Amino acid sequence: MAEIIQRDGTWTFDGDALRLVPGRDKNVGLLRRSLGELTVPLGALAGISFEQGKRTGRLRLRLRDGADPLLQATGGRLVDSADPYQLTVESDRYGVAEYFVDEIRNALLLDEVPATPVDRYLLPGPAVPLSVSAGDGTASFDGERVRLEWNWKTEEAKAAAGTRTLALAEIRSVEWQPSVGLENGHLRFTVRGAPTKAPPKYDPNAVELWGFKKDPLMALVAAAVQARLPHPSAPPAQDAAPKQLAAAGPDHDALLRRLRELGDLHRSGVLTDEEFTMAKRALLKGM
């Protein structure tokens, strides 16, 4: 087992998966703290790197394209403080970081894990239900329906239509875009049979974001929905049966709950290190 403990977080590798736990340092972004602990199976990794600096360095995980619904939904637009796959390393732990990198690279070689894209999600995405208020509205998702509610800052033409409810089977795609400079961001849902070119400010299927503290949390809603939509690289037959895929959505939540339950049993002493490792390995292989 390899482990590196920093103020920014703790990463642990047991040979089959990485456990990423965000730290409590003030530089840890709200998105990382809200996302909580992540378990990344070895098969989802494309590589790992370590960059040294004068005072601090940075570990970076590179996931296989299409493996993670969060990265799929955000399209590489997460800032460093919100990226769960980066870890700031203090200079006195550079040796530990290099050992950590070697362990993972060796495991990737031994298991012959390819760096090629995948056609199914290898991580479950955020747990549901969840609800986030930011920008001009509140986005909620229970695993089956998205609910958009508006606040007093919403453009009158959009608010006049009232609360918006979208069934998962109606949603074709989801997009999260952060605000950059003077450009506002958004969380937008593209609905089947109802394309729109309206700006997010007027689009009843979009929440407009202005760059405030809670804006990144909308990425959690985007990722949770993305995890339950047909994978962009899946065979066409899967795209033709959105209702069946929507019905399979709770499997993501069951997996996430089971991983968390195992972690709780291990921390409380009910499971030994060996029992915990074996149980987690069996669960991940079942994925």
Side-chain angles (χ1 to χ4, degrees):
M1 178 178 289
E3 184 175 64
I4 181 166
I5 303 173
Q6 295 290 276
R7 289 182 299 174
D8 195 38
T10 298
W11 286 11
T12 306
F13 177 57
D14 64 5
D16 293 304
L18 285 101
R19 178 170 168 255
L20 314 179
V21 181
R24 299 180 179 179
D25 188 72
K26 62 180 181 181
N27 294 322
V28 177
L30 181 60
L31 175 60
R32 278 180 63 196
R33 296 199 303 270
S34 300
L35 190 59
E37 179 181 323
L38 288 178
T39 298
V40 182
L42 184 64
L45 288 181
I48 184 172
S49 63
F50 176 55
E51 306 159 3
Q52 292 190 18
K54 290 183 178 180
R55 295 185 177 179
T56 60
R58 191 175 296 273
L59 278 170
R60 295 179 188 268
L61 290 180
R62 183 165 59 89
L63 271 63
R64 297 170 67 185
D65 289 344
D68 181 22
L70 175 63
L71 296 183
Q72 186 72 40
T74 55
R77 293 183 290 266
L78 290 175
V79 298
D80 288 352
S81 63
D83 189 342
Y85 304 116
Q86 296 188 35
L87 182 72
T88 301
V89 179
E90 302 296 328
S91 58
D92 62 348
R93 289 294 181 269
Y94 282 0
V96 177
E98 290 170 347
Y99 170 77
F100 194 87
V101 168
D102 288 342
E103 287 291 294
I104 292 176
R105 286 178 177 170
N106 289 337
L108 290 171
L109 287 172
L110 288 172
D111 281 29
E112 298 181 344
V113 177
T116 53
V118 296
D119 61 3
R120 64 186 180 92
Y121 294 119
L122 302 180
L123 279 84
V128 294
L130 56 85
S131 182
V132 176
S133 297
D136 67 352
T138 297
S140 306
F141 181 53
D142 62 4
E144 297 181 357
R145 292 177 178 79
V146 171
R147 181 181 175 88
L148 303 176
E149 301 174 80
W150 313 117
N151 57 37
W152 64 273
K153 293 171 283 189
T154 309
E155 182 68 28
E156 186 176 351
K158 184 164 77 171
T163 299
R164 185 84 164 138
T165 301
L166 303 171
L168 187 63
E170 297 179 66
I171 300 172
R172 190 175 68 185
S173 63
V174 57
E175 178 186 62
W176 174 81
Q177 175 72 50
S179 59
V180 180
L182 299 178
E183 294 284 335
N184 290 341
H186 63 264
L187 170 67
R188 189 200 297 270
F189 300 95
T190 302
V191 179
R192 297 177 185 277
T196 180
K197 294 183 179 179
K201 182 176 182 178
Y202 302 102
D203 186 353
N205 297 322
V207 176
E208 187 179 32
L209 305 173
W210 302 313
F212 296 138
K213 183 179 180 180
K214 290 188 176 181
D215 282 9
L217 294 184
M218 282 293 182
L220 296 180
V221 180
V225 174
Q226 185 74 59
R228 293 159 179 82
L229 292 178
H231 194 283
S233 300
Q238 292 190 35
D239 190 47
K243 291 183 180 179
Q244 293 179 2
L245 283 168
D251 289 346
H252 291 286
D253 307 319
L255 173 64
L256 193 60
R257 285 196 300 271
R258 185 58 182 150
L259 285 171
R260 287 176 174 168
E261 287 170 2
L262 287 175
D264 291 341
L265 291 172
H266 181 230
R267 284 189 290 273
S268 63
V270 176
L271 292 179
T272 65
D273 290 347
E274 183 179 358
E275 291 170 335
F276 172 67
T277 299
M278 291 178 63
K280 185 169 66 173
R281 182 179 300 165
L283 189 63
L284 291 171
K285 286 185 177 179
M287 253 179 76

